[in-house]
Amino acid sequence: MTTRIDTRFAELKSQGRAAFVTYVMAGDPDPATSLEIVKALPKSGADVIELGIPFTDPMADGPSIQAAGLRALKIGMTLKKTLELVRDFRKDDNVTPLVLMGYYNPIYIYGVDKFLADAKTAGVDGLIIVDLPPEEDDELCIPALKAGLNFIRLATPTTDDKRLPAVLANTSGFVYYVSIAGITGAAAADASAVGEAVARIKRHTRLPICVGFGIRTPEAARAIAEKADGSVVGTALVDALKNSLDAEGRATAKTVNAVAELTAALAQGVKGAQQAAE
């Protein structure tokens, strides 16, 4: 099985540079604007897109992404509509890897088999489901792999060498290293500590390792890209979107550009890491 994720990371490796991975919440601030934002991400330099599934109890997410999820839910966003957004995105872009990131409950309610079939048909490439540990692999991970989707696991600063083999056992696509012990957007990533962690994880796997949580600026994205196979930015993009909304929380003429411009600046930071390494 070769997915768009595998293809993209192979391309980037041949170019000698890290991936820039972006995260936005599906349906924030409304479905039409959300689709325009997702379409703008690859044009602005995103190599991989993570699309958040709105959920009422996002335990790993900080205030910014929680608020984004609530904005999306308020206007009626659902998992079914999230898959419709992916389907609409694929009408114009059949190469950019797209990963759904969220929690198991909405998928469980939707029905695992139906969800996997619909996700694959829509054009989803991988899943990051943060509340399913390796001990629950039979619930979704194994069926997802059989359906041809990458199942991307999180490793954290508290994932020691004893635990890593279990975490990596059925992981594919890439490993998502959470750079801080905490929620999204809570603190800045420490590039030197990240470098040590990435080196340790690489002793256990050949998969690319992307680092997220705590990366907000082009400089930080570049520093992480010099240590890892990819930099993941979410909260900063979600904040840029939020700051462009009107007093009622609705999209304005500035909304799509606000996200696209920050994406472009962050992408330049990541690409700068390649120049530093050459």
Side-chain angles (χ1 to χ4, degrees):
M1 179 184 78
T2 300
T3 65
R4 292 183 187 91
I5 297 170
D6 301 322
T7 300
R8 179 55 51 92
F9 276 101
E11 289 169 354
L12 294 172
K13 186 174 183 180
S14 71
Q15 296 168 19
R17 75 171 182 88
F20 176 41
V21 184
T22 54
Y23 170 98
V24 292
M25 179 65 68
D28 180 29
D30 62 76
T33 305
S34 182
L35 176 59
E36 289 307 308
I37 289 169
V38 176
K39 285 181 175 180
L41 293 173
K43 297 170 187 173
S44 303
D47 297 304
V48 180
I49 298 170
E50 292 177 3
L51 191 60
I53 303 170
F55 183 50
T56 52
D57 189 22
M59 66 187 80
D61 296 315
S64 294
I65 292 177
Q66 283 190 33
L70 290 175
R71 284 194 297 271
L73 290 168
K74 187 177 179 181
I75 55 87
M77 199 64 181
T78 62
L79 179 52
K80 182 179 179 181
K81 290 180 180 178
T82 299
L83 294 177
E84 289 172 4
L85 191 158
V86 175
R87 198 174 293 111
D88 288 339
F89 171 75
R90 285 286 175 228
K91 291 175 183 176
D92 300 316
D93 187 325
N94 200 37
V95 296
T96 302
L98 199 150
V99 177
L100 293 186
M101 184 170 185
Y103 301 83
Y104 184 46
N105 184 270
I107 296 170
Y108 177 77
I109 299 298
Y110 193 100
V112 168
D113 291 342
K114 178 172 171 47
F115 165 74
L116 291 174
D118 290 353
K120 183 69 176 176
T121 302
V124 173
D125 300 296
L127 304 173
I128 302 173
I129 308 301
V130 300
D131 56 347
L132 276 182
E135 288 75 16
E136 306 293 337
D137 273 0
D138 289 338
E139 288 281 334
L140 182 64
C141 175
I142 302 299
L145 294 174
K146 288 178 179 176
L149 296 172
N150 290 128
F151 199 87
I152 296 146
R153 191 84 69 188
L154 302 176
T156 74
T158 59
T159 308
D160 60 20
D161 285 330
K162 186 177 179 182
R163 179 64 173 167
L164 262 176
V167 169
L168 297 170
N170 293 309
T171 299
S172 66
F174 63 92
V175 180
Y176 189 133
Y177 179 68
V178 177
S179 66
I180 57 173
I183 55 175
T184 58
D190 180 339
S192 60
V194 163
E196 293 173 10
V198 168
R200 182 171 65 85
I201 297 168
K202 279 188 176 292
R203 290 196 287 271
H204 294 263
T205 183
R206 294 182 178 179
L207 289 171
I209 299 168
C210 296
V211 178
F213 287 45
I215 304 170
R216 302 186 65 93
T217 65
E219 294 75 20
R222 174 177 175 163
I224 295 300
E226 288 173 350
K227 306 287 186 181
D229 300 301
S231 294
V232 186
V233 179
T235 297
L237 295 173
V238 170
D239 283 344
L241 183 157
K242 174 181 172 282
N243 293 336
S244 76
L245 302 178
D246 68 16
E248 281 74 45
R250 293 176 302 214
T252 67
K254 300 177 181 177
T255 299
V256 175
N257 281 342
V259 179
E261 287 171 7
L262 179 56
T263 299
L266 290 160
Q268 282 302 114
V270 173
K271 288 171 183 174
Q274 175 194 16
Q275 293 156 13
E278 287 176 349

